Amino acid sequence: MRLWKLFLFDLRFQWKHGLYFVYFLVCMVYIGGLSIVPEAYLDNTLLLLTFSDPSALGLILAGGILLLERDQGVFENLFVTPVKTLEYILAKCFSLSCLSLTVAFAIHLSSTGWPVSLVQFVLAIVLTSSFFTLIGLAAAIRSRSINSFLLLSQLYSLIFILPVLDYLNLFTTSLFAVLPVQGTLMLLEGTSHPLTISDFLYAVCILLIWIGLAVWWVYSLLQRSVRTQDGDEKHV
């Protein structure tokens, strides 16, 4: 119940600060841009755009929201309440995943229609958005200004997007297989043709493993940075 209330709080906070309006405009730009892409390049362009949107949205918006909450005093006051650290983290992931999923569907439905594999499409967007949301939160927790956050978030995320080089046939290595974005690209490619069971399980599992590690990392950072009014750390 508390997680649900936090989720609704995040949605209201994002709406209040105009994030949905901004992303509506971004979505219109995406749709307009895709309408002029030649048919031969549409699938590849759409896949890269679908990948970049939830990753960028989660990375930048999550950190920006946390910095905004910190400046407005929401961040500190929230943890004086019975809200637990893990609930705060999960609520951010869920709320931004919903926004990413809405935009992704709007883009796909306006260009190529429904994905062939709806499950793979939804999992790709939700899991990718959640992972980069966690990276954005980690960068924001360790930053004291928007400039330092932008720099740190790009440094944190740089290594994870390297599998895109393989997709573009620019560079390949077996090491890409251990990165979460490899799973994202496989799931997104599978929206036009369903993956085999083994490939599907690999793609989902590699994303879930990295999400678990990222949750632990963000949780640890929050435990060290957020304290209750009596000076003790906040524990789940």
Side-chain angles (χ1 to χ4, degrees):
M1 179 61 69
R2 202 158 45 203
L3 179 58
W4 174 250
K5 290 181 179 179
L6 270 178
F7 171 75
L8 294 178
F9 171 82
D10 280 343
L11 292 182
R12 288 193 296 268
F13 187 87
Q14 293 160 18
W15 176 268
K16 177 182 177 182
H17 289 86
L19 298 185
Y20 293 157
F21 176 72
V22 170
Y23 241 79
F24 172 77
L25 296 180
V26 172
C27 186
M28 292 299 101
V29 172
Y30 285 165
I31 293 172
L34 285 171
S35 66
I36 62 174
V37 173
E39 188 70 26
Y41 302 102
L42 182 59
D43 288 343
N44 288 342
T45 303
L46 184 60
L47 186 146
L48 291 175
L49 186 62
T50 307
F51 158 70
S52 64
D53 182 72
S55 58
L57 186 149
L59 184 69
I60 301 301
L61 286 192
I65 289 170
L66 190 146
L67 292 174
L68 186 60
E69 289 178 344
R70 180 189 289 162
D71 289 343
Q72 295 183 352
V74 175
F75 186 74
E76 291 79 3
N77 292 333
L78 189 64
F79 285 96
V80 177
T81 71
V83 170
K84 296 182 179 179
T85 306
L86 187 59
E87 294 170 336
Y88 177 83
I89 296 171
L90 293 179
K92 286 287 184 290
C93 290
F94 293 157
S95 62
L96 290 177
S97 291
C98 287
L99 181 54
S100 292
L101 200 57
T102 301
V103 173
F105 268 114
I107 293 172
H108 268 262
L109 291 176
S110 65
S111 55
T112 60
W114 284 95
V116 173
S117 176
L118 190 60
V119 171
Q120 290 175 193
F121 181 78
V122 171
L123 285 175
I125 301 303
V126 170
L127 295 180
T128 302
S129 176
S130 296
F131 176 73
F132 281 98
T133 292
L134 293 164
I135 297 298
L137 290 175
I141 293 168
R142 305 192 67 179
S143 303
R144 293 302 168 190
S145 69
I146 188 65
N147 289 334
S148 63
F149 162 71
L150 291 174
L151 176 62
L152 200 57
S153 62
Q154 298 308 308
L155 290 175
Y156 282 168
S157 63
L158 182 61
I159 188 173
F160 296 112
I161 65 173
L162 290 179
V164 173
L165 297 177
D166 186 20
Y167 179 77
L168 296 174
N169 297 317
L170 297 176
F171 179 76
T172 184
T173 172
S174 58
L175 294 177
F176 288 163
V178 303
L179 297 176
V181 168
Q182 185 73 12
T184 299
L185 295 174
M186 289 178 65
L187 287 172
L188 288 177
E189 284 188 292
T191 58
S192 58
H193 55 276
L195 298 172
T196 64
I197 295 297
S198 59
D199 285 345
F200 175 78
L201 291 176
Y202 157 76
V204 172
C205 287
I206 194 67
L207 278 161
L208 288 176
I209 288 170
W210 277 100
I211 287 172
L213 293 172
V215 167
W216 173 80
W217 184 30
V218 174
Y219 177 85
S220 299
L221 291 173
L222 281 173
Q223 291 289 80
R224 291 198 295 267
S225 65
V226 179
R227 297 177 179 277
T228 54
Q229 289 180 333
D230 62 4
D232 296 326
E233 287 191 352
K234 184 76 173 176
H235 291 285
V236 171

